[in-house]
Amino acid sequence: APHTPPVSRVFLSLGSNLGDRLAYLRAVVAALGRGPRMRIKGTSNVYETVPVEVEEEQPDYLNCVVELECGVGAIELLRYCQGIEGALGRERGEAGEKAPRTVDIDVLLFGEETIMEPDLRVPHAGVTRAFNLRGLADIDVDLYIPGRGTVLELLGRAEEGGILKFGEAEELC
């Protein structure tokens, strides 16, 4: 049989704070479901969150977490996600990482791996933010985050302020 890369259990964080936010999240989930050697295994509920670490007034975010079975490498996955962001109108402009965006996709976890590449660090620095932990807990509360602990342990220590449940996981599919 031809060699196929191993399948990794991957968790992505999706966020949107411009336009029809839920529609953007749905479009990302649909695009991920069509990805090469990618299969959606689970989605969290959708949470509305107040933007963190921003200078000026911004609309609230919708956030969710998606679990993927992924048979491509981490960098290939990152590039695919960046392609989705671009197709859905994400501007990577002067305003940088804190700018409002139609859609933002972060690779939170890639299997058990720790990745330290110039443009990809896994576990993602934001993995322990409360909205990401809430989303991860919806899917697998016992999930172990390399070097950090289980989702349940981390959620117990997280700042829970400014997160409201917005919608059910089913609305994403």
Side-chain angles (χ1 to χ4, degrees):
H3 172 73
T4 53
V7 172
S8 301
R9 189 181 187 205
V10 174
F11 292 87
L12 304 175
S13 173
L14 279 44
S16 172
N17 75 336
L18 288 179
D20 186 341
R21 300 168 301 167
L22 191 60
Y24 278 120
L25 295 184
R26 272 202 199 104
V28 173
V29 171
L32 290 168
R34 293 192 297 269
R37 298 184 49 78
M38 295 176 199
R39 195 158 75 89
I40 290 171
K41 290 286 290 178
T43 54
S44 73
N45 292 308
V46 179
Y47 296 98
E48 191 160 40
T49 61
V50 177
V52 287
E53 302 161 17
V54 293
E55 305 296 311
E56 70 291 337
E57 277 295 301
Q58 283 194 22
D60 289 347
Y61 274 85
L62 288 190
N63 291 97
C64 66
V65 173
V66 175
E67 178 185 351
L68 273 189
E69 258 179 17
C70 181
V72 300
I75 296 292
E76 193 175 333
L77 172 65
L78 175 69
R79 298 281 174 257
Y80 187 76
C81 290
Q82 288 171 338
I84 297 172
E85 289 176 341
L88 293 174
R90 165 81 185 264
E91 298 288 333
R92 287 190 180 274
E94 293 305 303
E97 286 307 298
K98 305 286 188 244
R101 63 280 305 257
T102 52
V103 76
D104 184 38
I105 308 168
D106 289 325
V107 182
L108 293 180
L109 297 167
F110 195 91
E112 308 277 298
E113 291 183 46
T114 300
I115 301 168
M116 301 291 275
E117 296 285 337
D119 49 358
L120 181 64
R121 288 177 172 255
V122 176
H124 191 276
V127 70
T128 54
R129 287 193 179 145
F131 63 84
N132 282 327
L133 291 170
R134 283 279 287 279
L136 289 167
D138 287 342
I139 299 172
D140 183 357
V141 77
D142 297 316
L143 183 69
Y144 179 74
I145 298 173
R148 309 279 212 299
T150 67
V151 169
L152 188 60
E153 288 164 359
L154 293 163
L155 201 48
R157 301 198 289 271
E159 275 296 320
E160 282 273 15
I163 302 174
L164 293 170
K165 187 168 155 190
F166 183 84
E168 304 293 333
E170 292 69 53
E171 293 178 44
L172 287 169
C173 298

